[in-house]
Amino acid sequence: MTKSYSFYPGCALHASAREYDVSTLLVCRALGIEITELAKWTCCGASSAHSFDTWLGLALPALDLQEAEKAGRPLVIACAKCYSQLKMASHEMQNRETLDNVNHLTGGVLKNTTEVVHLLQVLNLDSPDFTGTVKRPLKDLKVACYYGCLLVRPKDVAGFDDLEDPQIMDDIVRKLGAESVDWGLKTECCGASLMVTNRDVVMNLSHRLLRQAKQKGADCVAVACPLCHSNLDCYQKDIEKVYHDGSSLPVLYITQLMGLALGFTPKEMLMDRHLTDPLPLLRSKGLA
Amino acid sequence: MARIGVFVCHCGTNIAGVVSIPAVLEAAKKMPGVVVAADDKYSCSDPGQSHIRAVIEQNKLNRVVIGSCSPRMHEFTFRKVMVKAGLNPYFLEVANIREQVSWVHSNDKEKATAKAIDHVRIAVAKVARDEALFPKKVPLTKRALVIGGGITGMQAALDIANAGHPVTLVERESSIGGHMAQLDKTFPTLDCSACILTPKMVEIVQHPNITLLTYSEVRQVSGFVGNFDVEIVKKARKVDAKKCTGCGICWLKCPEKVSAEFNEGLGERKAIYVPFPQAVPLVPKVDLENCLYIKYQNYVEGKSEGKRPMQCRICEKLCPVQALAWDQQDEIVKEKFGAIVVATGYKTFDPSVCGEYGGGKLPDVISGLQLERMFNSSGPTGGEVLRPSDGAHPKTVVLVSCVGSRDEQRGRPYCSKICCMYTAKQTILLKEHDPEVQCYVFYIDIRTGGKDYEEFARRAQEEYGALYLRGRVSRIYEDGKQLVVLGEDSLMGRPVEIRADMVVLATGVEANEGAAELAQTMKLSHDVYDFLTEAHPKLKPVETQTDGILVAGACVGPKDIPECVAQGGAAAAKVSALFSQEMLTSDPMVASVDNARCIGCLLCVQVCPYKAIDTQVLRNGRTVALVNESLCRACGLCPAVCRPKAVNLRGFTNQQLLAEVNALWQ
């Protein structure tokens, strides 16, 4: 089984979600998974490109796929939206005509041969047994794994896990020694980029998620997407002002939790970059 | 010397409007062996038939070709004309110039006429080589087997028995009644299910012509129409049915409690039990997996490990008639049947695969059948609708239709047909149980095809105030003590959020457990969903490709009670018609072996899908193939593989087929 991948970070991991980037690189290194950032990469188009122009939504990922093709390794992506964009484009371009048209637009020579996978698949499949490497089991920590709406959908494109009740992140959490909380909103929408244009919707959706996670006994939420993270983490004070039900919860990247379990310090995992401070929780569980 | 007559039918304008009849007659007259060519407006009509008969007699014809519709339509009609004219009915060929010519080539009359002439020519070439064939008479066993003791099978068994024929009814469970016994009330009249079902169950067990085998399964079926050999396994109940009076002391006192299957997992039953109080026969069975004494026996025999179980036997001690029979073993019954009715029913879709509805993990999300059990006064809640989580009376109930129906992602694209109606019924019953209840129904379409069905579903909305929302539910989750149902109102074009006390999933209809295996045992075909395939979806809804085996009810596809009863009756009518004959006539157009040519390679035995070819040893010691004419379906595989050309299909011999091809290129 290959342990060498190209890595596409996407814009967020180099800016607001630096902690996701750093923790991903450190965890992969610790697990012996070699990931190399693509030399040249461009924005995946995120939630806007494809809604303006179908071809733009394909052409931008095509540029990145071509870089990956040059590198000749499977491409691993950490951000759920970037993953969805590139995976979907790769799926669409299995149609010869679409591929030719995209190559015509980009002036590229993409053959569309690169396998696109999400970070979770790599972490889960390539290191089937963490227990040996777990130095600091996350005992007594109850984690609600939040997948968001894109990660495992649609079935024919991503579909590496159950569409409505995915388990891949929960498996990792359990292997870290923590308890995965069974909750009902794993794949419900967080509001995504509506935070910019329709704040109330995001407040409502994020509140619903946090409230449910808290009700089911979670100490924190684990995510694998910078946008989910930002929606859940950044506005908890405002949410509390509106709903007054104390549904505040630390929101951590799954790789940060892994890093912690593998022996990295909270500082190395950049735990101080979250707006909802996870450190009191980690201290109370003896993890910081 | 063949004296052939060609008759061309106009079929009104169906044929004559496209094909030039005079041109066909003209061409036919020049074909070899043709003595006369004539036409009729409608050959199948009474005057048409008389005309054909008259022409045959006048011209002393001995072979007849009819250019008309498909032989599937009227070959049988014209064969009867042959018999009336004193000819062997198999000296007839039908050239299909309607379905295969005029209907499909109406845009090119010239070419259509040429093709019609070709069809007649090959029929003429074939008919000249027809041989006289004579059907054989085979005896039949006038005893029917009905598999499945649900409402369909019960109806079939009763109707056959009332026609005076003995019937054996085999049921896998320990009581007959099927799903209908689980229901409380039935749409669209709301009559109590037990009230209309129980009398039938009793009639079954009391009928002198019916042998009832419950807790039994059909293991093997061989033979052919009129003469099926069937092996039935009668499983050991560990209770002597002859002694048992059904007093109930055993299941009252049995200490071991198990989740009750009949109540869909709500509530408990004992390890010796009858599934429901009105069970027929009212003889309990011992649950071999959970009975303490059976566990003890297994432990003593070294079949299980761990703690030594208690040697209970309380049932045995208390039984006033010593009916417990621990040494009872499975018994195999072998019997001959003339016809078999398969009515194995359905099961409901398991919603635990649907993560969006809680994946079976939310106690207050129940299935439609579970709600039926709650409604029922002999059910787990004594007829009260109670939330499984805390026993509270729900005030807001959401009903979700199409769970496991019309869902391509889950491999169930078909409509389950009954759910719209049972959902409407359940909203009415919920309201009648508790007038404070508010029901919400999420639906895709409301399908209410059936007598009085639409009126019934409207009543649920208008009189009982059920709120119908067109859209799917995307998520159900717990929020405190309530359930939050997220969905879409696609008519209003907006998301809906309902806080409910209970959710009822209208789970769809699926092929029953073991349906595919049973189909294989009986060599019946089934579709990709394991529903059995009928011989024709419209004209032969209860027949199968195998003569003498009939299918009825929900094992063929989703059906409601009236349809199941109708199909059970229909299957019974077919069986009675079959049994009205003293001997069966076998179709002579089957494979036959020329013993002189057969080299005994028996390739034909291997390819025959109907196991219709046997072997025989001739007096000179040679082994040759032997066709069982009753089993042969004339599929044509054996003549195709036969290397020395020893096997021929009567009526479709190699010589005839070659003559047809030759005629086409003349």
Side-chain angles (χ1 to χ4, degrees), chain A residues 110-123:
Chain A
L110 180 66
K111 292 197 209 74
N112 197 20
T113 53
T114 306
E115 187 196 352
V116 180
V117 292
H118 189 268
L119 179 64
L120 286 175
Q121 290 172 279
V122 174
L123 293 175

Side-chain angles (χ1 to χ4, degrees), chain A residues 153-155 162-165 167 182-188 204 208 211-212 215-216, chain B residues 353-356 359 361-362 408-410 474-480 484 486 497 499:
Chain A
R153 290 166 171 162
K155 192 183 181 190
D162 189 280
L163 300 188
E164 304 294 345
D165 187 14
Q167 291 296 331
D182 191 17
W183 65 313
L185 300 177
K186 280 179 181 180
T187 57
E188 284 303 293
N204 177 25
R208 179 189 281 164
R211 179 183 157 92
Q212 167 76 356
Q215 259 193 18
K216 291 290 168 180
Chain B
V353 299
C354 301
E356 67 271 35
K361 288 181 261 183
L362 305 176
E408 285 184 32
Q409 292 239 346
R410 296 223 159 78
S474 64
R475 181 67 59 182
I476 300 169
Y477 68 95
E478 276 176 336
D479 189 65
V484 179
L486 304 179
E497 184 179 323
R499 300 186 77 82

Side-chain angles (χ1 to χ4, degrees), chain B residues 376-574:
Chain B
N376 196 290
S377 61
S378 61
T381 55
E384 282 202 77
V385 179
L386 304 173
R387 282 158 45 108
S389 64
D390 58 4
H393 288 272
K395 299 295 173 191
T396 309
V397 181
V398 172
L399 298 101
V400 184
S401 62
C402 297
V403 176
S405 306
R406 304 182 72 189
D407 186 345
E408 285 184 32
Q409 292 239 346
R410 296 223 159 78
R412 296 283 176 273
Y414 57 84
C415 169
S416 291
K417 206 172 180 183
I418 58 172
C419 327
C420 284
M421 284 303 290
Y422 83 60
T423 298
K425 176 194 74 178
Q426 291 183 338
T427 65
I428 292 177
L429 294 181
L430 279 164
K431 195 85 177 170
E432 283 189 344
H433 272 71
D434 181 354
E436 285 172 36
V437 166
Q438 175 62 54
C439 293
Y440 297 88
V441 179
F442 281 91
Y443 69 97
I444 305 179
D445 295 295
I446 308 172
R447 296 186 166 172
T448 53
K451 190 177 172 183
D452 293 334
Y453 283 14
E454 174 64 18
E455 298 90 318
F456 181 80
R458 286 202 80 88
R459 214 159 68 230
Q461 299 170 53
E462 289 164 4
E463 273 177 48
Y464 291 85
L467 275 171
Y468 272 63
L469 300 157
R470 198 193 74 177
R472 302 292 292 152
V473 167
S474 64
R475 181 67 59 182
I476 300 169
Y477 68 95
E478 276 176 336
D479 189 65
K481 281 192 151 190
Q482 284 197 303
L483 294 163
V484 179
V485 180
L486 304 179
E488 184 196 9
D489 184 337
S490 62
L491 293 178
M492 299 294 281
R494 64 180 181 209
V496 192
E497 184 179 323
I498 297 172
R499 300 186 77 82
D501 300 319
M502 196 165 83
V503 174
V504 182
L505 304 177
T507 47
V509 171
E510 279 190 343
N512 216 340
E513 216 88 54
E517 290 80 7
L518 184 74
Q520 255 153 28
T521 311
M522 311 186 67
K523 291 180 220 68
L524 300 177
S525 51
H526 55 82
D527 65 14
V528 287
Y529 315 112
D530 288 354
F531 286 120
L532 303 180
T533 312
E534 62 279 60
H536 189 284
K538 292 161 210 150
L539 300 180
K540 293 185 174 178
V542 295
E543 291 95 326
T544 66
Q545 294 296 347
T546 311
D547 282 350
I549 300 186
L550 300 137
V551 286
C555 61
V556 184
K559 278 181 193 70
D560 59 15
I561 296 168
E563 284 179 297
C564 284
V565 172
Q567 284 216 328
K574 304 285 171 190

Side-chain angles (χ1 to χ4, degrees), chain A residues 146 148-149 183 185-195 198-213 221 227-228 231-233 235-236 239 242-243 245 247, chain B residues 474-475 477 484 486-487 495-497:
Chain A
Y146 175 58
C149 41
W183 65 313
L185 300 177
K186 280 179 181 180
T187 57
E188 284 303 293
C189 179
C190 66
S193 58
L194 281 179
M195 189 37 110
N198 197 341
R199 200 177 140 92
D200 286 352
V201 169
V202 178
M203 298 272 280
N204 177 25
L205 294 177
S206 294
H207 168 252
R208 179 189 281 164
L209 292 168
L210 291 167
R211 179 183 157 92
Q212 167 76 356
V221 178
L227 197 51
C228 298
N231 279 345
L232 288 181
D233 181 44
Y235 310 101
Q236 295 196 4
I239 287 174
V242 178
Y243 295 97
D245 60 355
S247 47
Chain B
S474 64
R475 181 67 59 182
Y477 68 95
V484 179
L486 304 179
V496 192
E497 184 179 323

